Amino acid sequence: MKSVILSMAVVSMFIANQAQAADAKAAEALAQKSGCLACHAVEKKVLGPSYKDVAAKYKGDKGAEAKLAAKIKAGGSGVWGPVPMPPHPQVKNEDIKTIVSWVLSL
């Protein structure tokens, strides 16, 4: 019985990991479609900071999602250097939320 429960737990974790991977791929595709990957990359600085650097900077910041969503919508400058980030008012709020959640999960 104990091994059956353990096996079920392993299967559940596997399914959850697969779902997270699919969600991450979908969010990355959404970032690509929205034009985010023209200036950002997951691992390295392009024009803007890498997404891993963004996640590290805002780790533990409870207001990070709202700050980053506003920054994407309105644009901004000065946080990561002199290159401004243009506004992206055409990106839907729910898409921005998905992208921000994905970035912060890195």
Side-chain angles (χ1 to χ4, degrees):
M1 182 66 161
K2 198 174 192 181
S3 64
V4 171
I5 293 171
L6 181 59
S7 294
M8 289 172 58
V10 170
V11 169
S12 292
M13 287 188 333
F14 175 77
I15 291 169
N17 285 341
Q18 293 298 317
Q20 283 180 327
D23 289 347
K25 289 281 185 202
E28 187 171 1
L30 187 56
Q32 177 70 42
K33 180 184 124 194
S34 300
C36 305
L37 297 178
C39 297
H40 298 276
V42 173
E43 300 278 340
K44 64 180 182 169
K45 176 180 177 21
V46 181
L47 285 174
S50 76
Y51 286 142
K52 286 196 173 185
D53 287 343
V54 173
K57 179 179 181 75
Y58 290 96
K59 185 176 182 168
D61 181 343
K62 294 190 187 319
E65 277 196 37
K67 287 178 202 172
L68 293 175
K71 183 78 68 170
I72 291 169
K73 202 62 139 167
S77 64
V79 176
W80 295 94
V83 178
M85 184 169 109
H88 295 84
Q90 76 284 1
V91 180
K92 293 185 231 167
N93 290 337
E94 59 267 17
D95 291 348
I96 290 174
K97 184 175 181 173
T98 299
I99 293 166
V100 168
S101 293
W102 166 65
V103 169
L104 293 174
S105 76
L106 299 172

